[in-house]
Amino acid sequence: MHGRSNRGLLLTLIRNNCTLLSSTFTMLPCGPALSFVRCLVRKKNVSGESLEDSKLCRCLSTVDLIALGVGSTLGAGVYVLAGEVAKSDSGPSIVVSFLIAALASVMAGLCYAEFGARVPKTGSAYLYTYVTVGELWAFITGWNLILSYVIGTSSVARAWSGTFDELLGKQIGHFFSTYFKMNYSGLAEYPDFFAVFLILLLSGLLSFGVKESAWVNKIFTAINILVLLFVMISGFVKGDADNWKISEEYLINLTAITENCSSYENVTSIYGSGGFMPYGFTGTLAGAATCFYAFVGFDCIATTGEEVKNPQKAIPIGIVASLLVCFMAYFGVSAALTLMMPYYLLDEKSPLPVAFEYVGWGPAKYVVAVGSLCALSTSLLGSMFPLPRILFAMARDGLLFSFLAKVSKRQAPVSATLTAGVISAIMAFLFDLKALVDMMSIGTLLAYSLVATCVLILRYQPSLTYEQPKYSPEKAALAASERESAVSESQINMIQENHFSLQALINPSSLPTEQTATTVNFLVGLLAFLVCGLSVLTTYGIHFIANLEPWSIGLLAVLVASFIVTILLIQRQPQNQQKVAFMVPLLPFLPSFSILVNIYLMVQLSGDTWIRFSFWMALGFLIYFAYGIRHSLEGHRSDGDDDSCSENSGLQEKNPVEEVDEPENANESDQFLAHERTSEC
């Protein structure tokens, strides 16, 4: 009894002190600089809105999501990329390159899948970053996704136009280059009216409704898969296993003949050493880095959170299944291609038609052309589909102009769709997109990195409540008692752990607390810094490492050791025990290596690409600081709570005691959510 009374007295003192501190800090004036910083890191609160409510039409099934992911990811690259990588980098081992690239992509895909299960709302990486890291990083992510999807849509539309023109003997291109030639740097050779027509047609289809768009996508994806199956079966029927076992001596003789050498002595093969890995394992890895981009596109599934019937299960299944289907397609086509024809004879621009000519099946090139056009069509839809949804999500949150958040009677984001179509059409109409395509990679890789970072941070937070149950006095009383117990324990832990120590870092408490969450946040930031250092060193200092320069070897050892120790320290911290439909396995190792792969690939991009990227970011910051930061919905909500810029996590649960004392707040919340209800399509 004395123990209980002492414990009660201790808790009473704690509460009184916490109340006094809280009131003291509330009375302190908040400086403009601190207030501004808090605005930048405020997080989206999703606990006050039901995750099942949406302005958009919930009519997509899991099969629709898989078709969307496969169609977006399995674009025209499957008809071109295999030949290019096999000839210059990997040889027959391109199948291993695709396997490595698929594993790296799956790491990012699993992180998206967990967030899709946790927060099934429209916005993809933008929303996930907003909920976990804060508003500024969320805007940067969303702004870069817009750039990626605009350039992707425009470039795919021009590729579709060019492929169709090739089938017609380049008559369209000849006509426009004769009468509408543009001789200006940075602009296309001629305005592509056909690409503009394609984009506007697709924008109209997407504005009409998501259900109709999904049916069109499924038809084209099915045709594409059938053509790829035909290619695989043909390759295994007409293929020759000896093409995977070409000897180095034969390649040396071939090199001597090709370069008109008088003697075969001292001749080095320009086609590698032959066999399954003619360019060695380094060539296979170089091919994997290129093949990684072939799996970009699955993230469009994450933008459908408010249009799927059962998002918590459908989004993770859709992402994982689409990546699996894409890997099997890339693996099968590359194996068939290198079996049909020796890798050194492959044509880099149109490998499949040339390979069919090589085995005596010339007319099959028309089947390949049909599949290529269908693949381009689904890829175009996959680029165009998520773009208006990112615009819609950002406009709904107040970070972009409000007219973009308008929804049609058929519950489609019509204003954002038409705006995205017009911008993409202008890009495709006028500009030479070859120099801009690398900028797509920055946006995509940054989004992948931030989603993996958010998973690391989120899983170690002490509270992860997203949705409040309907008001009930019994439930509220029970929740209040549970919360009181949890608050008591956390306050005692706070007293016990108020001083940071190495002991607390290595042997933390069994349940996550604010201190362990802060520790993880710091360690994740340190991890990102170390990954950047490793990537820069292994990219720009690789020749020093190869020459065994002492400083480079020492710096590499320190960075690698620090990277490993940081991951192990994160692994020691307690995770939140809340379960969702899908959770990333092997935490924190899998997200950490995903961050490493993505940042390394970002560092590989050219300086010109980063300069162009800086101009795009300057425009984005101008919009954010002139408009978004003042119109942010989270900022207005914070103002209503007498806190100009809340720094609280967007995933923290409300105080159930408040729900007991103020049941009218529940009615106000219901009125707010009434605008979000979804009607049947």
Side-chain angles (χ1 to χ4, degrees):
M1 292 293 291
H2 290 292
R4 289 185 180 178
S5 60
N6 291 337
R7 179 186 174 94
L9 180 61
L10 175 62
L11 292 178
T12 303
L13 289 172
I14 291 171
R15 288 197 191 96
N16 292 337
N17 289 333
C18 290
T19 305
L20 179 62
L21 286 171
S22 176
S23 60
T24 303
F25 282 120
T26 303
M27 295 170 60
L28 289 175
C30 182
L34 181 60
S35 178
F36 176 72
V37 170
R38 285 181 174 173
C39 288
L40 301 182
V41 299
R42 61 191 169 201
K43 299 168 185 176
K44 182 173 175 64
N45 186 358
V46 296
S47 61
E49 51 184 328
S50 171
L51 299 181
E52 296 299 325
D53 294 327
S54 170
K55 288 182 179 180
L56 305 180
C57 174
R58 288 197 183 275
C59 56
L60 295 179
S61 65
T62 305
V63 175
D64 292 326
L65 291 194
I66 295 173
L68 180 65
V70 171
S72 177
T73 307
L74 202 63
V78 70
Y79 295 92
V80 179
L81 187 66
E84 182 181 335
V85 174
K87 184 172 184 177
S88 58
D89 291 320
S90 303
S93 67
I94 184 175
V95 293
V96 180
S97 296
F98 272 118
L99 176 61
I100 296 171
L103 292 175
S105 299
V106 163
M107 289 192 293
L110 293 177
C111 295
Y112 270 86
E114 174 166 337
F115 261 111
R118 287 187 183 278
V119 194
K121 302 286 283 184
T122 291
S124 184
Y126 155 74
L127 173 66
Y128 307 156
T129 308
Y130 203 168
V131 162
T132 310
V133 181
E135 186 170 286
L136 180 62
W137 276 109
F139 181 86
I140 292 172
T141 305
W143 190 243
N144 286 314
L145 286 176
I146 291 171
L147 174 69
S148 299
Y149 292 135
V150 165
I151 295 178
T153 300
S154 306
S155 57
V156 173
R158 287 191 74 97
W160 205 108
S161 174
T163 303
F164 186 72
D165 191 23
E166 291 239 355
L167 293 176
L168 299 179
K170 299 187 177 180
Q171 295 181 13
I172 298 176
H174 179 72
F175 175 81
F176 284 118
S177 60
T178 302
Y179 296 100
F180 297 94
K181 192 173 181 64
M182 297 187 298
N183 293 317
Y184 296 98
S185 177
L187 296 183
E189 184 182 352
Y190 59 86
D192 198 331
F193 291 95
F194 196 78
V196 171
F197 170 75
L198 271 176
I199 292 175
L200 296 180
L201 179 67
L202 183 61
S203 299
L205 174 65
L206 288 171
S207 300
F208 189 70
V210 66
K211 187 185 297 185
E212 293 75 14
S213 306
W215 269 107
V216 172
N217 178 69
K218 279 192 286 190
I219 292 170
F220 281 121
T221 301
I223 297 173
N224 185 22
I225 293 293
L226 289 174
V227 171
L228 293 178
L229 285 174
F230 167 75
V231 170
M232 290 181 225
I233 294 171
S234 302
F236 292 126
V237 169
K238 299 293 291 183
D240 185 356
D242 290 337
N243 288 329
W244 283 15
K245 297 182 289 187
I246 300 172
S247 66
E248 185 175 9
E249 182 181 355
Y250 176 81
L251 294 174
I252 291 174
N253 295 339
L254 184 64
T255 301
I257 295 171
T258 304
E259 299 188 349
N260 295 321
C261 298
S262 57
S263 173
Y264 291 169
E265 296 180 3
N266 299 324
V267 174
T268 304
S269 169
I270 61 174
Y271 305 111
S273 59
F276 183 69
M277 290 186 180
Y279 301 102
F281 191 67
T282 55
T284 304
L285 285 178
T290 305
C291 293
F292 178 84
Y293 295 105
F295 292 93
V296 168
F298 66 85
D299 51 316
C300 70
I301 295 175
T303 63
T304 64
E306 295 182 37
E307 295 161 289
V308 190
K309 294 175 182 175
N310 186 8
Q312 281 91 347
K313 291 185 178 179
I315 291 178
I317 292 173
I319 290 174
V320 175
S322 62
L323 283 174
L324 180 61
V325 171
C326 291
F327 165 67
M328 293 173 64
Y330 281 122
F331 186 93
V333 169
S334 57
L337 186 63
T338 50
L339 284 172
M340 277 197 290
M341 192 174 186
Y343 68 91
Y344 57 85
L345 294 178
L346 291 172
D347 186 88
E348 294 183 356
K349 293 185 177 179
S350 54
L352 286 174
V354 173
F356 277 114
E357 290 277 1
Y358 183 82
V359 297
W361 284 16
K365 65 182 180 183
Y366 296 107
V367 178
V368 172
V370 170
S372 181
L373 286 177
C374 289
L376 283 168
S377 301
T378 57
S379 184
L380 182 59
L381 183 66
S383 296
M384 192 68 193
F385 185 88
L387 176 55
R389 282 147 184 83
I390 298 293
L391 291 171
F392 169 80
M394 295 181 73
R396 185 173 60 180
D397 292 334
L399 303 188
L400 288 181
F401 309 110
S402 58
F403 77 93
L404 295 171
K406 291 183 179 178
V407 177
S408 68
K409 293 180 180 179
R410 298 181 62 86
Q411 297 175 293
V414 61
S415 296
T417 301
L418 295 178
T419 302
V422 170
I423 295 172
S424 301
I426 293 172
M427 291 282 291
F429 184 68
L430 294 176
F431 293 101
D432 178 15
L433 299 170
K434 292 179 182 176
L436 301 178
V437 167
D438 279 348
M439 290 179 67
M440 290 174 55
S441 304
I442 293 181
T444 303
L445 294 171
L446 179 64
Y448 286 3
S449 303
L450 282 172
V451 170
T453 301
C454 290
V455 167
L456 275 179
I457 293 173
L458 196 61
R459 288 278 285 274
Y460 293 94
Q461 294 299 312
S463 178
L464 294 177
T465 299
Y466 306 91
E467 184 177 3
Q468 296 300 315
K470 293 182 179 179
Y471 175 76
S472 155
E474 294 81 6
K475 290 182 179 179
L478 179 61
S481 63
E482 291 177 352
R483 180 175 177 81
E484 182 178 354
S485 175
V487 169
S488 302
E489 291 180 10
S490 65
Q491 288 169 341
I492 292 173
N493 287 334
M494 181 178 66
I495 290 178
Q496 293 174 345
E497 301 178 4
N498 57 355
H499 296 294
F500 177 82
S501 65
L502 185 62
Q503 180 69 20
L505 182 65
I506 299 175
N507 293 311
S509 60
S510 58
L511 293 175
T513 63
E514 290 297 333
Q515 178 177 330
T516 60
T518 303
T519 300
V520 170
N521 292 347
F522 172 77
L523 291 174
V524 170
L526 177 62
L527 185 75
F529 176 78
L530 293 172
V531 166
C532 290
L534 266 174
S535 302
V536 171
L537 178 62
T538 53
T539 300
Y540 298 103
I542 189 65
H543 52 285
F544 296 111
I545 297 174
N547 293 331
L548 300 180
E549 294 280 348
W551 68 269
S552 63
I553 298 297
L555 182 59
L556 179 64
V558 169
L559 289 174
V560 171
S562 302
F563 177 74
I564 295 172
V565 169
T566 303
I567 294 177
L568 293 177
L569 287 176
I570 294 175
Q571 195 265 338
R572 293 288 302 166
Q573 308 309 307
Q575 293 185 35
N576 191 284
Q577 300 302 310
Q578 180 184 346
K579 303 297 181 183
V580 291
F582 180 86
M583 300 177 73
V584 176
L586 301 176
L587 205 79
F589 304 103
L590 193 147
S592 300
F593 284 110
S594 179
I595 296 170
L596 176 63
V597 170
N598 296 322
I599 292 182
Y600 177 78
L601 291 175
M602 289 174 70
V603 173
Q604 304 301 306
L605 299 172
S606 67
D608 291 340
T609 300
W610 284 99
I611 292 173
R612 297 188 193 100
F613 173 74
S614 64
F615 284 113
W616 173 254
M617 286 309 308
L619 175 61
F621 286 138
L622 179 64
I623 293 174
Y624 175 69
F625 290 112
Y627 180 88
I629 197 171
R630 293 187 295 110
H631 292 81
S632 169
L633 187 63
E634 293 304 314
H636 291 306
R637 286 179 181 172
S638 299
D639 291 341
D641 296 333
D642 296 325
D643 182 10
S644 60
C645 296
S646 175
E647 196 180 2
N648 294 332
S649 170
L651 299 181
Q652 300 302 314
E653 63 182 356
K654 294 181 180 178
N655 191 340
V657 179
E658 294 176 2
E659 293 185 5
V660 177
D661 296 337
E662 300 180 8
E664 64 271 17
N665 288 350
N667 296 332
E668 292 175 7
S669 177
D670 289 341
Q671 292 172 4
F672 172 76
L673 293 175
H675 299 290
E676 295 272 302
R677 301 296 179 194
T678 305
S679 60
E680 292 298 325
C681 304

